[in-house]
Amino acid sequence: MTLLLLAIGLGAGVLSGIFGIGGGIVVVPALIYLAKMTPQQAAGTSLAALVVPLGAAIGAATYYRAGHLQIKDALLISAGMAVGAYFGAQIATHVDAVVLKRLFAVLMVGMAVKLWVG
């Protein structure tokens, strides 16, 4: 599970570095489908992984009080995101803007279909 959570964080970090997206687009669906968390646990854990931006800390604290936060998992995801964001930014600076827009559109449609179908 540790490697899975680090991989989710790494993947989210790379995509964040490339597209400037937040955890809700990648981390939450990945935690639901790959780590088999409930939507509440996935949302709380994703918010905790993004605690460095203080605004997410308030949401994470709310999930924590309700019992929907996996602190260790959030820290592992955060470590992966730190590394992944660096590499994602390195990739994005060498990819054409139109290609990035199209890749992001494919990502969004894929996530929407997966969430819709289950």
Side-chain angles (χ1 to χ4, degrees):
M1 182 64 120
T2 296
L3 289 177
L4 174 63
L5 294 169
L6 285 170
I8 290 171
L10 180 64
V14 168
L15 294 172
S16 179
I18 293 172
F19 300 118
I21 60 174
I25 294 173
V26 176
V27 174
V28 171
L31 291 176
I32 291 169
Y33 294 108
L34 300 176
K36 307 299 184 203
M37 289 186 181
T38 67
Q40 293 90 344
Q41 289 174 325
T45 303
S46 176
L47 284 173
L50 301 170
V51 161
V52 173
L54 188 55
I58 295 166
T62 302
Y63 278 101
Y64 177 78
R65 284 191 301 277
H68 298 297
L69 172 59
Q70 304 292 324
I71 293 174
K72 179 184 166 204
D73 295 351
L75 292 172
L76 289 167
I77 292 165
S78 183
M81 287 179 72
V83 174
Y86 170 78
F87 288 110
Q90 294 297 317
I91 293 167
T93 59
H94 295 92
V95 176
D96 182 69
V98 172
V99 172
L100 285 176
K101 282 199 263 185
R102 290 180 180 161
L103 288 171
F104 186 67
V106 169
L107 173 69
M108 296 304 297
V109 169
M111 288 294 181
V113 168
K114 180 61 181 166
L115 288 170
W116 187 270
V117 174

